[in-house]
């Protein structure tokens, strides 16, 4: 029996694991209690890492579609087929005739991240898409315009904060996003145990809200009103204090002017949170020894996501909670992604360009996933006629994915690198199998940059891929080489890591060898330290509080009206489950066993108003589809006082009444 320390790479939490195996199968996967970041945290998905390897439905040979059926072919045939068909499309359509969609698991695989640029370069297409635009692009847009680099990402210093506001995040379930914070529930308990507070602002009493103890219900999509009102209140109460950033920050007066219309009363009207609570919250936030506002998924994938991320940063900055302990801070990772891709001294304009059909902005080299279908459907120069997907399932994960599915059927050629034949890859003419986590080396290139504590860890593969298949990085590299007419592929990801680590922040301590020999499998690189002043990547080297792109969007916010009506009185919001990851982990029996978790949760007040009972089926309709689900009436946690429970529920009921919404069965 052998043991290996490794990092789980399913979600962003980077939990430290101890894997026991005998070279053919896994015997146990346990938490590594000595990991200074995950501190013994683990979730059921890590145990399922072994299931993804042995999944009987896994694609284990290249598959070519012949007369509508997938048939196994050799790797050589597969690369030839791919290169021939992609080139044929580009010969007729030009380079942009081939689109590329990169899914979420790429961000967790350093071999993919290091080799995908060569594939994209070989294709030479600007038609690039990824799951980032169904997720966190507003964070990058805020960082680009305020700090000059998309990956200069403020991370809440959870270990030292005295007051944390969480908007639109459910880290007790997700384990944090753009904030690598495994075991978040325990971290919240620690904040409270040292006399601090956690306030969750969410339309649902989430697992995080229940455990935080302080929860404010908010109407979906109105967070920007709240954040701008908090800023307004900080100024109105004379509580702004930029501290160490005062000398490098531009736009304080302009910000004060821009938030004028966003009074606490206006925010109360829009959010359903009363004005007094908003004023008190602003005062408490500014007066706290340290405080941090963290706005995530629910404040990102919504109509005003970029305004939310900008306002979130601005609130932290003007209260002296940016780049200071207990506030929003910046990591110093061993592999310095920002340094590797520095933009210092390079002038750039944004958006980088606009999409062909509906003129949507391109940021970070990619178009919003919401335009991919129209770019496939609309004839003309630059129309996408072939698509390459790598570790992505946009038919299930992108807005109006069914339309993408229909558009995929019209393509001249589609290929996917994936583990499964699924809703997306079933449309492909060619599927290349991928290696799973346990068959690859692991070093997290991305999420150390967002971690609440600096660490580094590396491990080699535990098993070889099935059928003598290459690891996924090599598949990508070989495809890139074939497309560029070359026979050779570059060095392995581990070799590249050996070159990159000496350029990072901890070159004295962190080498591949040191990582392999680290006791407990991980090197502790300490808490977050202030550093942003030297790292600003804006053209003028200064921090911009008021980028024009955000100011110009404020009239659109002021014109916002909630999309509810008498016929459609309720909005649906999404939720995650501990036992699933996005669209793809549901083939693990271990994860899906138990009662069905596919329910439409409903607040007891709404359920009573609508006369709906537990288990009753409801029809949920959107502009593009519908689904029938059983109702699950939520029970509020005992940890939340009955007074605040009643206040939250009646604020919601009042809000609906003011809009004269009447119940309707089909529109939940
Ligand atoms: N329905 C639904 N939609 C969502 C979300 C959701 O939770 N549910 N979440 C949203 C968010 S936050 C995101 S980030 C996006 C994600 O959007 P996507 O990235 O499009 O979707 P995932 O479900 O992560 O799909 C991952 C795909 O990669 C495959 N895969 C898994 N591991 C590997 C691997 O190691 N190599 C390769 N080549 N393939 C692999 C899976 O089989 C699956 O096809 O979806 C967004 N949309
Ligand atoms: N178990 C599990 N963990 C995961 C994933 C998974 O699928 N399963 N996916 C991973 C990925 S790719 C990501 S990006 C992260 C995401 O992790 P988080 O950022 O924590 O996102 P969610 O869990 O989607 O939580 C979003 C919250 O926003 C709330 N919300 C919805 N609309 C609004 C709104 O308008 N305003 C406010 N204030 N709140 C709103 C929802 O009720 C929900 O509580 O999770 C990662 N971790
Ligand atoms: S929380 Fe995320 S990183 Fe940690 S064990 Fe679960 S899936 Fe893996
Ligand atoms: Mo995501």
């Amino acid at each position: 029996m052998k043991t290996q320390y490794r990092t789980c790479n399913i979600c962003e939490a980077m939990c430290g694991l101890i894997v026991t195996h005998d070279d053919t199968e896994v015997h146990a996967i346990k938490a590594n209690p000595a990991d200074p970041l995950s501190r013994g945290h683990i979730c059921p998905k890590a145990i399922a890492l072994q299931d993804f390897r042995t999944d009987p439905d896994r694609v284990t040979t290249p598959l070519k579609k012949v007369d509508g059926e997938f048939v196994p072919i050799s790797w050589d045939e597969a690369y030839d087929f791919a290169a021939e068909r992609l080139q044929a499309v580009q010969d007729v359509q030009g380079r942009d005739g081939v689109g590329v969609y990169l899914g979420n698991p790429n961000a967790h695989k350093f071999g993919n991240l290091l080799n995908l640029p060569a594939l994209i370069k070989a294709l030479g297409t600007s038609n690039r898409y990824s799951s980032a635009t169904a997720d966190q692009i507003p964070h990058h847009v805020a960082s680009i315009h305020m700090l000059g680099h998309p990956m200069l990402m403020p991370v809440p210093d959870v270990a030292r904060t005295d007051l944390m506001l969480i908007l639109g995040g459910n880290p007790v379930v997700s384990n944090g996003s753009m904030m690598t914070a495994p075991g978040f529930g325990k971290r919240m308990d620690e904040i409270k145990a040292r006399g601090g507070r956690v306030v969750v602002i969410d339309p649902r009493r989430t697992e995080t809200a229940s455990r935080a103890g302080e929860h404010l219900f908010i109407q979906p999509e109105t967070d920007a009103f709240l954040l701008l009102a908090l800023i307004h209140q900080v100024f109105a109460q004379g509580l702004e204090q930029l501290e160490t950033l005062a000398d490098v920050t531009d736009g304080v007066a302009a910000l004060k002017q821009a938030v004028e219309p966003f009074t606490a009363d206006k925010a109360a009207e829009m959010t359903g949170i009363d004005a007094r609570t908003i004023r008190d919250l602003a005062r408490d936030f500014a007066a706290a020894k340290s405080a941090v506002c963290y706005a995530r998924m629910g404040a990102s994938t919504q109509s005003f996501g970029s305004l939310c991320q900008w306002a979130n940063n601005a609130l932290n900055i003007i209260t002296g909670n940016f780049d200071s302990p207990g506030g929003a801070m910046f990591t110093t990772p061993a592999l310095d992604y920002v340094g590797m891709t520095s933009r210092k001294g390079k002038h750039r304009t944004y958006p980088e360009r606009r999409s062909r059909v509906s003129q949507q902005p391109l940021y970070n080299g990619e178009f919003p996933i919401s335009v991919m279908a129209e770019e496939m459907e609309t004839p003309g120069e630059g129309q996408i006629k072939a698509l390459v997907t790598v570790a992505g399932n946009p038919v299930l994960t992108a807005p109006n994915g069914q339309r993408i599915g229909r558009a995929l059927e019209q393509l001249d050629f589609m290929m996917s690198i994936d583990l499964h034949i699924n809703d997306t890859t079933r449309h492909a003419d060619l599927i290349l199998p991928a290696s799973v986590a346990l068959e690859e080396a692991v070093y997290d290139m991305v999420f150390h940059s967002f971690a609440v504590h600096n660490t580094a860890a590396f491990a080699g593969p535990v098993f070889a891929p099935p059928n003598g298949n290459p690891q996924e990085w090599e598949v990508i590299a070989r495809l890139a080489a074939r497309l560029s007419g070359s026979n050779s592929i570059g060095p392995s990801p581990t070799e590249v890591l050996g070159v990159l680590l000496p350029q990072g922040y901890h070159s004295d301590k962190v080498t591949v060898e040191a990582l392999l020999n680290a006791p407990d499998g991980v090197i502790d690189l300490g808490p977050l330290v202030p550093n942003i002043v030297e790292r600003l990547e804006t053209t003028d080297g200064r921090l911009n509080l008021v980028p024009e792109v955000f100011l110009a969007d404020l009239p659109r916010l002021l014109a916002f009206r909630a999309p509810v009506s008498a016929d459609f009185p309720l909005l649906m919001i999404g939720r995650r489950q501990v036992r699933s990851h996005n669209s793809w982990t549901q083939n693990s029996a271990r994860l899906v066993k138990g009662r069905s978790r596919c329910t439409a949760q409903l607040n007891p007040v709404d359920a009573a108003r609508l006369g709906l009972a537990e288990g009753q089926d409801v029809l949920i309709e959107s502009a593009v589809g519908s689904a029938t689900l059983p109702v699950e009436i939520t029970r509020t946690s005992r940890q939340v006082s009955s007074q605040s429970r009643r206040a939250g529920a009646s604020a919601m009921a009042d809000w609906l009444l003011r809009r004269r919404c009447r119940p309707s069965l089909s529109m939940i």
Side-chain angles (χ1 to χ4, degrees), residues 357-380:
V357 179
S358 60
Q359 304 296 306
Q360 295 301 321
L362 178 136
Y363 269 92
N364 260 5
E366 59 181 277
F367 293 112
I369 182 57
S370 53
V371 308
M372 191 167 83
E374 68 191 22
E375 292 292 336
M376 294 190 278
E377 290 162 353
T378 313

Side-chain angles (χ1 to χ4, degrees), residues 264-278:
D265 289 329
K266 175 75 184 165
E269 178 201 333
M270 300 306 293
T271 60
I273 301 171
D274 69 71
R276 186 173 180 167
T277 306
I278 295 171

Side-chain angles (χ1 to χ4, degrees), residues 56-111:
D57 292 334
R58 183 177 164 191
V59 174
T60 53
T61 62
L63 294 176
K64 179 180 178 179
K65 200 182 269 164
V66 181
D67 299 330
E69 297 287 322
F70 282 112
V71 293
I73 57 170
S74 73
W75 281 97
D76 275 342
E77 278 177 272
Y79 292 129
D80 286 345
F81 180 50
E84 181 200 310
R85 295 297 302 276
L86 291 170
Q87 273 154 2
V89 168
Q90 288 190 319
D91 285 347
V92 178
Q93 286 294 118
R95 293 258 181 195
D96 289 347
V98 175
V100 178
Y101 176 85
L102 305 179
N104 170 274
N106 289 301
H108 301 271
K109 295 183 114 187
F110 81 122

Side-chain angles (χ1 to χ4, degrees), residues 7-17 38 41-47 49 173-175 182-183 578 581:
T7 311
C8 177
N9 66 345
I10 296 176
C11 84
E12 301 175 34
M14 299 195 301
C15 295
L17 307 178
S38 60
H41 182 76
I42 190 169
C43 88
K45 295 186 293 299
I47 324 287
L49 280 171
V173 169
S174 68
N175 281 287
V578 172
H581 188 82

Side-chain angles (χ1 to χ4, degrees), residues 205 215 217 272 603 643-653:
R205 175 143 297 148
H215 173 210
F217 285 101
N603 182 293
Q643 197 188 353
S644 79
R645 184 162 66 219
R646 276 197 302 275
S650 69
M652 178 85 84

Side-chain angles (χ1 to χ4, degrees), residues 101 103-105 109 131 134-135 297 390-394 396-397 417-420 422 434-435 472 576 581-584:
Y101 176 85
N104 170 274
K109 295 183 114 187
S131 50
D135 179 347
M297 193 82 194
V390 184
N393 191 7
L396 281 191
T397 59
I417 307 180
D418 207 286
L419 306 178
H420 288 121
N422 61 23
S435 41
E472 182 166 10
R576 281 170 212 285
H581 188 82
N582 297 343
S583 78
W584 72 271

Side-chain angles (χ1 to χ4, degrees), residues 319-578:
T319 52
N321 288 306
F322 206 67
D323 198 41
S324 75
M329 298 191 79
F330 296 84
T331 57
T332 45
L335 194 154
D336 176 20
Y337 198 86
V338 175
M340 272 162 60
T341 53
S342 175
R343 298 173 175 199
K344 273 189 184 160
K346 294 178 195 153
H347 182 72
R348 299 205 182 204
T349 50
Y350 298 97
E352 292 148 37
R353 56 190 283 181
R354 298 251 166 204
S355 66
R356 181 178 66 104
V357 179
S358 60
Q359 304 296 306
Q360 295 301 321
L362 178 136
Y363 269 92
N364 260 5
E366 59 181 277
F367 293 112
I369 182 57
S370 53
V371 308
M372 191 167 83
E374 68 191 22
E375 292 292 336
M376 294 190 278
E377 290 162 353
T378 313
E381 206 186 317
Q383 180 186 6
I384 300 176
K385 288 282 206 172
L387 186 72
V388 180
T389 73
V390 184
N393 191 7
V395 172
L396 281 191
T397 59
N400 203 354
Q402 289 168 24
R403 179 172 167 193
I404 293 179
R406 290 191 296 272
L408 295 180
E409 276 304 291
Q410 306 306 316
L411 293 175
D412 291 345
F413 179 67
M414 174 179 166
M415 66 172 289
S416 300
I417 307 180
D418 207 286
L419 306 178
H420 288 121
I421 301 175
N422 61 23
D423 297 70
T424 297
T425 61
R426 72 189 175 90
H427 298 284
D429 302 290
L430 174 69
I431 305 178
L432 302 182
S435 41
V436 295
L438 294 177
E439 296 160 354
E440 296 180 5
V442 57
Y443 181 90
D444 206 305
M445 251 180 88
V446 172
F447 298 102
H448 284 300
S449 305
F450 306 151
V452 297
H453 186 91
N454 292 306
T455 59
F458 171 83
V462 182
F463 305 108
N467 295 338
N469 286 343
Q471 292 181 8
E472 182 166 10
W473 71 266
E474 191 180 327
V475 176
I476 297 166
R478 289 211 180 279
L479 184 62
R482 193 69 64 106
L483 285 165
S484 29
S486 152
N487 285 324
S488 65
I489 58 168
S492 76
T494 306
E495 287 168 311
V496 179
L497 186 65
V499 175
L500 294 175
L501 288 174
Q503 302 166 29
Y505 280 99
H506 305 276
S507 51
D508 52 331
K509 267 190 173 175
V510 183
T511 60
V512 174
E513 205 192 338
L515 289 168
L516 281 170
N517 294 327
D520 306 314
V522 50
I523 298 181
D524 189 345
L525 300 169
L528 308 183
V529 289
N531 60 49
I532 194 65
V533 176
E534 313 87 74
R535 293 177 72 195
L536 286 169
E537 296 240 338
T538 43
T539 315
D540 58 5
R542 297 181 62 78
L543 194 163
N544 186 2
L545 263 181
V546 283
E548 182 52 31
V549 64
F550 304 122
L551 298 187
D553 205 22
L554 292 175
R556 186 176 68 95
L557 176 64
L558 282 168
F560 175 71
R561 297 290 169 267
V564 289
S565 64
D567 286 340
F568 290 90
L570 297 181
L571 296 173
M572 187 177 76
I573 54 169
R575 75 179 194 274
R576 281 170 212 285
Q577 319 266 1
V578 172

